[in-house]
Amino acid sequence: MIYCAWIVAHVLLDGTSSARSWGGMAARALVAAMAITAWDVVMDPGMSRAGNWVWEQGGSYFGVPTRNYIGWVLTTLSVYLCSGIAFRVLSGRPDTARPRLYLALPGIAYGLVAADHFFSNAVPELRVVDIFGISFIAFVALLRLSSMPRPVLDLP
């Protein structure tokens, strides 16, 4: 899902987050980190309630501590920034047009995860978070992609 969030961030930013631009790379890293954390905001409470893991001290968000989400943002932001720097170093390659479906797959994956959690979540209250979190991200990414005249992805 980390790669999916990276591509979704690219689409959400409508291709303005070029790996050749420091600001664009940082914007894509931040949006991707928030997108993957939104995914975890829906995943963790249900997984915890299902007994897949236990938070010893718990937290105020369905038993999940806030530090978990801060950790997700900081860890994935670090991964995305390192990746962005690597892509910037390798940016001698020209931008490559990709089939719309190629760029749609991560948004579709987000949508499928959202649907799965909406219909089978162990924490029914999270349906609202699902709708306004990962479902919204998937919807906007797919909507933006449909309006892009020539989808381009600047990954090596």
Side-chain angles (χ1 to χ4, degrees):
M1 291 304 290
I2 287 178
Y3 178 75
C4 287
W6 179 258
I7 301 302
V8 164
H10 174 76
V11 171
L12 287 173
L13 293 169
D14 199 16
T16 60
S17 60
S18 172
R20 295 184 181 95
S21 155
W22 286 108
M25 185 246 328
R28 187 187 304 180
L30 181 60
V31 171
M34 296 304 289
I36 195 68
T37 302
W39 175 78
D40 192 59
V41 164
V42 173
M43 293 282 294
D44 267 359
M47 297 295 273
S48 181
R49 185 167 287 176
N52 292 312
W53 51 78
V54 175
W55 296 101
E56 289 182 10
Q57 297 172 352
S60 60
Y61 181 73
F62 298 101
V64 180
T66 305
R67 71 180 179 280
N68 173 64
Y69 302 111
I70 294 169
W72 267 90
V73 170
L74 294 177
T75 301
T76 56
L77 181 62
S78 299
V79 168
Y80 293 130
L81 287 173
C82 290
S83 298
I85 291 168
F87 292 148
R88 184 170 169 82
V89 169
L90 300 171
S91 67
R93 295 179 157 183
D95 290 347
T96 305
R98 301 283 183 187
R100 203 171 297 276
L101 178 61
Y102 177 84
L103 293 176
L105 288 175
I108 292 168
Y110 258 68
L112 291 173
V113 168
D116 176 58
H117 285 281
F118 185 83
F119 292 110
S120 66
N121 204 319
V123 185
E125 299 87 351
L126 284 175
R127 290 183 177 139
V128 173
V129 178
D130 185 311
I131 291 169
F132 292 101
I134 55 177
S135 294
F136 182 73
I137 290 169
F139 174 74
V140 173
L142 293 172
L143 185 65
R144 298 279 291 166
L145 184 60
S146 71
S147 69
M148 293 172 90
R150 181 179 167 260
V152 173
L153 183 63
D154 62 342
L155 295 178

